[in-house]
Amino acid sequence: MKKRGESLLSQSLVTWTIIGILIVSFLFFLNNSSKDPYNKKQILAKELCILMTPAKNNTVVTVTTDLLVEKQGINIVTKRYPQDPGYTYPCYANFTVTNEDGKAIIKIVS
Amino acid sequence: MIPLKNKKAAASYAMISFYRIMMIIIVCLVFVACLWIQYSKPYDIRKIENAQIARKIELCLLGNNFVLAQEDFTEKRLNDCIKTDQDIFVNVTFGEKSLSSGKQELKVYCQIQNRVTGRYLPSCLSYNYTILNSNYQASELNIFLALDKNKKNVQMMPNK
């Protein structure tokens, strides 16, 4: 190959490699966004709060989902894994949360 | 790079290549920013939550009765029904008696909502229930709620 041709090829390779990396990163981000993992925690926390607020004493809510549910003060916290800071939503309901066998059991107390 | 003998041409060629790559990066970043803004919008559930809290207060004040006596309508009873914080203001009126709890400033924001528009105003709703008083007469129980929680329902921020 001629020198000029080699230079053109290497230049094109570099340019298209960078473009390829950008496109792959972009598609990866789109894929994650379309599965909506970011809002799943928020949706679950808010749904549970709406469910629990008017519930009567001794009502038990069993949540079967891949997310973890915890209580911090008056907040309901949903997490993807134990070390995740999670999504926190303050809820005006008195409740306790226990986790058993991959399920979160929420009990409304007085 | 094409080996150009002319130094100026070589420098210009380098600059053009850099410019092309930067344009592609900027376009991709703009797409990412648009998606980020769209998916960062929280869901506003305050109206639903207001309705639920009002219903909870009404049922709590009544207890297991259908009658609410004036002597049972106390601030302690209201505080037992709902523990308020900086995000909520509750005003309950039964007959001639009115009780309040929570952040008082939210009431002012509710009063100016007719004149001022804004995204970060609290969600204000009023509910009227007809219940029996101690004389077994129909009496109106009005529950006014102002719910703030802007950070979790309106403001765009990372989902934390």
Side-chain angles (χ1 to χ4, degrees), chain A residues 31-93:
Chain A
N31 185 42
N32 273 341
S33 300
S34 65
K35 283 180 188 169
D36 219 2
Y38 302 110
N39 284 338
K40 203 173 169 183
K41 291 187 282 189
Q42 183 194 162
I43 289 169
L44 179 63
K46 288 181 175 176
E47 274 182 346
L48 286 173
C49 187
I50 289 172
L51 194 61
M52 291 186 313
T53 302
K56 292 185 178 177
N57 289 343
N58 301 319
T59 302
V60 176
V61 178
T62 305
V63 184
T64 48
T65 174
D66 53 342
L67 296 177
L68 300 172
V69 181
E70 290 177 7
K71 181 184 175 181
Q72 287 176 5
I74 66 160
N75 298 316
I76 188 161
V77 184
T78 46
K79 299 180 176 182
R80 266 184 279 169
Y81 44 86
Q83 293 79 22
D84 183 9
Y87 181 84
T88 306
Y89 192 72
C91 194
Y92 302 109

Side-chain angles (χ1 to χ4, degrees), chain B:
Chain B
M1 286 284 286
I2 299 172
L4 296 169
K5 289 182 183 172
N6 188 340
K7 281 186 183 175
K8 265 192 187 173
S12 303
Y13 192 81
M15 205 181 299
I16 288 169
S17 302
F18 176 74
Y19 169 76
R20 280 166 56 192
I21 291 171
M22 283 308 296
M23 285 305 295
I24 292 165
I25 292 172
I26 287 169
V27 166
C28 284
L29 285 175
V30 166
F31 270 117
V32 168
C34 291
L35 282 173
W36 177 265
I37 288 167
Q38 175 61 30
Y39 284 100
S40 293
K41 265 190 211 171
Y43 297 100
D44 193 352
I45 62 161
R46 290 178 299 172
K47 279 188 181 169
I48 302 169
E49 213 177 338
N50 260 342
Q52 303 287 24
I53 293 171
R55 182 76 178 144
K56 177 182 171 168
I57 293 172
E58 186 229 347
L59 291 173
C60 178
L61 287 173
L62 281 173
N64 290 325
N65 307 321
F66 293 102
V67 172
L68 178 62
Q70 279 290 339
E71 49 269 20
D72 292 335
F73 184 56
T74 60
E75 202 157 327
K76 183 184 179 301
R77 183 84 176 259
L78 180 63
N79 290 332
D80 286 342
C81 289
I82 180 104
K83 287 179 179 48
T84 53
D85 57 8
Q86 291 302 304
D87 282 325
I88 189 170
F89 170 76
V90 178
N91 179 273
V92 184
T93 306
F94 180 59
E96 292 170 1
K97 198 174 177 184
S98 182
L99 300 171
S100 298
S101 180
K103 190 176 178 183
Q104 300 286 332
E105 287 85 359
L106 294 177
K107 186 182 174 185
V108 177
Y109 292 134
C110 290
Q111 287 167 349
I112 64 170
Q113 265 190 0
N114 292 332
R115 285 168 275 163
V116 172
T117 54
R119 291 182 65 215
Y120 302 132
L121 293 170
S123 171
C124 308
L125 287 167
S126 183
Y127 301 91
N128 291 317
Y129 301 99
T130 303
I131 58 174
L132 298 175
N133 59 18
S134 48
N135 296 329
Y136 294 96
Q137 289 170 338
S139 190
E140 203 166 81
L141 176 76
N142 176 269
I143 300 174
F144 174 79
L145 281 165
L147 195 59
D148 197 3
K149 289 194 193 178
N150 273 320
K151 275 189 185 174
K152 296 291 180 180
N153 287 282
V154 181
Q155 285 186 11
M156 305 248 284
M157 56 176 285
N159 280 304
K160 285 185 183 173

